[in-house]
Amino acid sequence: MRFSTNAARLVLLFGWLGIGLSFPTFGPGLADDKGDEPKKGQNIITRDVCVIGGGASGTYAATRLRELGHSVVLVEREDHLGGHTRTYFDPAGRPIDYGVWVYSNNTDQVRFFEHFNIATTGQDFTRISQGSQRIDLRTGQSVPPPVGSLVDAMTRYTQVLLQHPYLADGWELPGPVPEDLLLPFRDFIVRYDLGPAVEVLTLYIQGLGDILDYPAVYIMKYFSFGVILGIQSGFTTSASLANIRLYEAAQTELGADALLSSTIIAAQRTDEGHNMLVSTPDGIRLIRADKLIIAIPPLLQNLEPFDLDYRESDLFAQFDYSHYYTTVLNLSGVPQDVQILNRAVDTPYNIPVLPSTYVFYPSQIPALFSGFFGGGTQNLTEEEVRAIIRDNVRQLRNAGYDVSDDPEILAYGNHSPFNLFVSSEAIATGFYRDLYSLQGQRRTWYTGAAWHAHDSAALWQFTERLLQRVIAD
């Protein structure tokens, strides 16, 4: 086993804190302002399981494990739980969800909301009764709708998707990996004559970057059979129209077991258990946990403190990722019964050129819209994203809308790194097989979108199955 820079730093930090790896002792480095040393063990958190990350997967894992009788500590770098879930409240207290918007339907989604006594409802799409206005937001030019039968194209897509039911459960692909899954999406479209459906497919899988170059399996993972069922029978959302309430309730339930605004700075993972130093607003503390669940994007820059071995480092280094941003903005010159779709006049299937806005969607509050923005593989600053969105809005003047030259952006969310992906070649040679083989190694398990898909309900289902393995080990 390599003795990494992290391992060396861990030893130094433990030494600085005066914490022995087997029996904790404290030296004067932990003395309080009065010069008194803390009582032995008061800066040590001992739990059955430590969960890293308080997004959809991590929050579900922590609350569910507690429900099943296991002690838990959750470490989250933000000052709140919820991950990609963002809710804006206007001055009157009315909410707009501008991150996670709707949920596909399964038993774990129903149970999770019921656990916190949060009522749900079907998503109301009647606000766009006049449909979509397709506009090239580079120029304001109107773009015609797709040609051909959407129903027939979606039927063909669904028939292909049903040939690969394992995609609904994760990334346990058969060997050899079927050719259809490895095709660039542009070739997959041609093979199955999906041109009329590309607009709908891309509308529901925003944030993936230059979508035509992705292996088709990523589109099939994101536009899943669960999404198809949601389109047909309705998606679910919170009855309050504020999805953040779910995570506020979870945060209240977890209480002191949720370490917010906190990060792991060094870790020692072994087959017997884990020692982790965590930086919290109250100072550095030691977490001792029998098992570890990592629910953050498995990128080297995120997992560097966790003393990765060569195999883990090699796999995580292969991931690339896209950038995705969301906003709430005032578009008082745009009717509340339409959505503005960004479509390009000069690209295959009128796919918008990134970085740019995907769609402006009307909220239940007059004049306020959610704006969803794709950065592709470009890591943009907030100022750059805001500038491009404002320019996109200004182009609506050329389309006949009386919008402001300086539209007000009321809320902003950066969801990067968003979709983690690898090449078709890596998938074909067993990347996901090797990735999944890490589950349980060194008493560490993983969950989150990179291990399944960007679908909260699907991730809760995936995490529920994973927890059964964690508990059984």
Side-chain angles (χ1 to χ4, degrees):
M1 180 180 296
R2 70 189 176 110
F3 186 74
S4 68
T5 302
N6 293 319
R9 185 173 65 180
L10 178 69
V11 171
L12 290 173
L13 284 167
F14 275 126
W16 173 71
L17 287 173
I19 299 173
L21 295 183
S22 298
F23 299 96
T25 59
F26 294 88
L30 282 177
D32 62 21
D33 292 338
K34 298 179 181 179
D36 297 325
E37 294 182 12
K39 294 180 180 179
K40 181 177 179 179
Q42 81 172 38
N43 281 282
I44 297 178
I45 301 170
T46 302
R47 296 290 189 272
D48 296 330
V49 184
C50 176
V51 178
I52 308 299
S57 301
T59 301
Y60 182 92
T63 56
R64 182 70 171 133
L65 283 167
R66 278 174 44 124
E67 185 181 14
L68 294 171
H70 301 269
S71 63
V72 175
V73 61
L74 182 152
V75 180
E76 166 56 44
R77 68 179 179 182
E78 300 293 340
D79 63 0
H80 62 278
L81 303 181
H84 294 297
T85 302
R86 307 291 178 91
T87 304
Y88 166 80
F89 294 91
D90 79 344
R94 295 174 296 182
I96 300 174
D97 283 318
Y98 66 106
V100 176
W101 185 36
V102 295
Y103 301 90
S104 54
N105 297 292
N106 60 39
T107 56
D108 296 298
Q109 175 261 114
V110 171
R111 180 165 48 78
F112 198 35
F113 275 92
E114 287 182 346
H115 175 80
F116 295 105
N117 297 314
I118 295 178
T120 59
T121 187
Q123 176 61 42
D124 178 16
F125 290 105
T126 61
R127 292 198 301 278
I128 55 170
S129 58
Q130 297 302 309
S132 301
Q133 299 299 312
R134 300 169 178 85
I135 298 171
D136 189 329
L137 293 182
R138 297 172 299 175
T139 63
Q141 183 176 347
S142 178
V143 179
V147 176
S149 171
L150 172 61
V151 172
D152 290 347
M154 285 305 303
T155 299
R156 290 190 291 273
Y157 176 80
T158 303
Q159 289 171 342
V160 177
L161 190 61
L162 289 173
Q163 295 173 23
H164 308 282
Y166 44 84
L167 294 178
D169 298 323
W171 280 99
E172 294 181 295
L173 306 177
V177 179
E179 180 189 4
D180 277 352
L181 306 187
L182 302 174
L183 285 175
F185 185 48
R186 65 176 73 247
D187 296 338
F188 185 82
I189 293 169
V190 173
R191 174 173 288 186
Y192 293 104
D193 190 18
L194 300 180
V198 171
E199 179 180 277
V200 171
L201 292 170
T202 55
L203 184 61
Y204 278 87
I205 50 177
Q206 298 170 12
L208 268 66
D210 297 324
I211 194 168
L212 294 180
D213 294 327
Y214 274 77
V217 64
Y218 287 107
I219 284 70
M220 300 169 74
K221 286 287 296 177
Y222 284 71
F223 202 103
S224 64
F225 194 65
V227 171
I228 292 172
L229 291 177
I231 293 172
Q232 291 178 337
S233 57
F235 293 97
T236 294
T237 191
S238 60
S240 67
L241 303 182
N243 285 322
I244 198 63
R245 297 302 189 205
L246 177 67
Y247 294 95
E248 290 174 346
Q251 189 169 316
T252 297
E253 180 174 292
L254 289 169
D257 286 338
L259 302 181
L260 305 178
S261 303
S262 301
T263 55
I264 300 294
I265 56 177
Q268 180 189 55
R269 295 184 296 138
T270 73
D271 292 334
E272 288 71 43
H274 311 293
N275 292 297
M276 291 164 286
L277 287 174
V278 55
S279 175
T280 78
D282 298 321
I284 295 176
R285 303 185 70 183
L286 169 65
I287 294 174
R288 284 184 165 162
D290 184 41
K291 302 172 184 179
L292 176 66
I293 296 176
I294 295 178
I296 59 177
L299 298 170
L300 289 181
Q301 61 263 38
N302 290 341
L303 299 181
E304 193 264 348
F306 288 91
D307 193 26
L308 302 178
D309 62 28
Y310 287 117
R311 185 160 167 260
E312 292 166 330
S313 296
D314 177 68
L315 286 166
F316 298 149
Q318 294 181 53
F319 276 122
D320 201 350
Y321 55 88
S322 60
H323 299 269
Y324 187 49
Y325 313 85
T326 57
T327 61
V328 175
L329 66 167
N330 190 320
L331 294 180
S332 57
V334 179
Q336 286 295 112
D337 56 0
V338 303
Q339 67 175 348
I340 304 295
L341 292 186
N342 186 11
R343 312 303 294 170
V345 296
D346 55 355
T347 63
Y349 313 106
N350 303 121
I351 290 174
V353 177
L354 301 180
S356 189
T357 302
Y358 290 112
V359 59
F360 294 124
Y361 186 84
S363 74
Q364 69 276 10
I365 303 174
L368 299 190
F369 284 66
S370 299
F372 301 94
F373 186 98
T377 56
Q378 296 188 43
N379 185 11
L380 304 175
T381 65
E382 180 175 346
E383 292 73 21
E384 290 171 326
V385 173
R386 287 175 176 265
I388 296 172
I389 290 175
R390 289 192 173 101
D391 187 61
N392 291 160
V393 172
R394 293 186 191 103
Q395 300 309 315
L396 294 177
R397 285 181 165 273
N398 296 331
Y401 295 103
D402 185 18
V403 294
S404 169
D405 280 335
D406 188 21
E408 184 180 14
I409 298 175
L410 302 167
Y412 169 87
N414 185 345
H415 301 266
S416 310
F418 193 63
N419 173 58
L420 274 60
F421 63 94
V422 296
S423 67
S424 291
E425 292 75 17
I427 297 171
T429 54
F431 173 83
Y432 282 104
R433 176 200 64 217
D434 296 339
L435 187 73
Y436 269 37
S437 72
L438 297 180
Q439 295 283 24
Q441 298 298 310
R442 300 170 73 187
R443 301 184 74 76
T444 302
W445 287 262
Y446 300 86
T447 184
W451 302 82
H452 190 9
H454 272 288
D455 179 325
S456 294
L459 286 174
W460 295 335
Q461 187 176 67
F462 175 88
T463 304
E464 178 68 23
R465 292 195 305 270
L466 180 71
L467 293 181
Q468 305 311 310
R469 296 177 56 188
V470 174
I471 293 170
D473 184 271

